[in-house]
Amino acid sequence: MASRLNPYISFNGDAREAMEFYKSIFGGTLALSTFGEFGNDGDGADKIMHGMLETDDGYTLMGADTPPGMPYNPGDNITVSLSGDDGAVLREYWEKLSGTGSVSVPLEKQMWGDEFGACTDKFGISWMVNIGAPQS
């Protein structure tokens, strides 16, 4: 996989229920990871840090619970996610999207091993870029 573009939805504590609901509609494979699995043993450890539904029709929908301490704003809770393993292409997208916007998370290696960054472009659209290791 070179790269993909898909919606990423933030939820207010009910990401598991929502993602399971979407799976019941679209089918496919649902993968869920909790904050606790990545070392957050405190409040919200059982909440979803990352969820991904990949359908048999080729749709991908991602979602997560809003982390503790971060604001949840209905209407502002959808981000466009760019992900894949073509680092050169994804870094170029990142530079163009963040260059005239604002960066909230610098594009750098994260605790799960991938490079990740988040920004808002000059039009106010939120973007996430995740560069994973090439699939063999």
Side-chain angles (χ1 to χ4, degrees):
M1 171 193 62
S3 60
R4 74 170 95 198
L5 180 141
N6 57 271
Y8 201 112
I9 305 171
S10 295
F11 296 95
N12 195 23
D14 54 0
R16 180 182 302 277
E17 179 183 356
M19 295 301 288
E20 288 173 350
F21 172 72
Y22 298 135
K23 182 181 188 296
S24 77
I25 294 170
F26 299 112
T29 303
L30 177 61
L32 299 171
S33 301
T34 66
F35 286 99
E37 291 174 54
F38 287 92
N40 180 348
D41 295 329
D43 192 30
D46 63 333
K47 298 299 181 191
I48 302 303
M49 181 177 159
H50 178 70
M52 183 166 69
L53 174 62
E54 294 183 289
T55 73
D56 297 335
D57 290 326
Y59 303 140
T60 299
L61 179 64
M62 294 182 183
D65 286 309
T66 302
M70 292 186 69
Y72 172 77
N73 299 311
D76 293 338
N77 57 329
I78 296 179
T79 300
V80 181
S81 171
L82 283 167
S83 58
D85 58 15
D86 190 335
V89 168
L90 290 167
R91 282 184 200 91
E92 184 176 341
Y93 292 152
W94 169 261
E95 291 301 322
K96 291 176 180 178
L97 289 165
S98 66
T100 56
S102 62
V103 173
S104 55
V105 177
L107 183 64
E108 59 190 20
K109 190 165 182 157
Q110 301 296 324
M111 63 183 159
W112 59 89
D114 295 350
E115 287 181 67
F116 173 84
C119 67
T120 301
D121 70 19
K122 66 182 180 179
F123 299 103
I125 304 300
S126 297
W127 294 84
M128 294 184 294
V129 175
N130 192 88
I131 304 168
Q135 304 293 318
S136 43

